[in-house]
Amino acid sequence: GAVVTDLEMPRVNGYELLAAVRARPETAGLALLVMTTRAGEKHQRLAFQLGADDYFTKPVNEALLLRRLGSLLAAPRSPETI
């Protein structure tokens, strides 16, 4: 499975979501993609440090997003390899 998240959300921001998903054994193996307007390097670096598998800046190229999501879903994943 996969989660596509923004960084800016009302109750939990995307960074908190990334950390929470990676911390739970039941969800740690999910592919995590960030889709946001925040293009800065510090935002990308933090997202990857927290476990994001890919990072897209809006507006997103839909074909590229679908291609990368397909690749992530096709790759064998387990919490131990993340």
Side-chain angles (χ1 to χ4, degrees):
V3 174
V4 179
T5 185
D6 199 335
L7 293 179
E8 299 173 1
M9 299 183 292
R11 293 195 178 103
V12 175
N13 70 44
Y15 300 121
E16 294 167 330
L17 178 67
L18 291 170
V21 168
R22 288 294 183 237
R24 296 181 62 198
E26 308 84 34
T27 58
L30 292 173
L32 296 175
L33 291 88
V34 173
M35 190 170 18
T36 183
T37 58
R38 295 189 173 207
E41 185 179 326
K42 72 176 186 172
H43 301 292
Q44 291 182 40
R45 188 172 38 249
L46 180 55
F48 284 119
Q49 287 172 351
L50 291 171
D53 293 298
D54 215 332
Y55 193 101
F56 294 89
T57 302
K58 295 177 187 177
V60 174
N61 176 313
E62 185 178 344
L64 178 61
L65 172 66
L66 292 174
R67 209 168 35 250
R68 291 207 187 145
L69 182 57
S71 294
L72 285 170
L73 290 173
R77 301 178 61 78
S78 70
E80 296 80 32
T81 61
I82 297 176

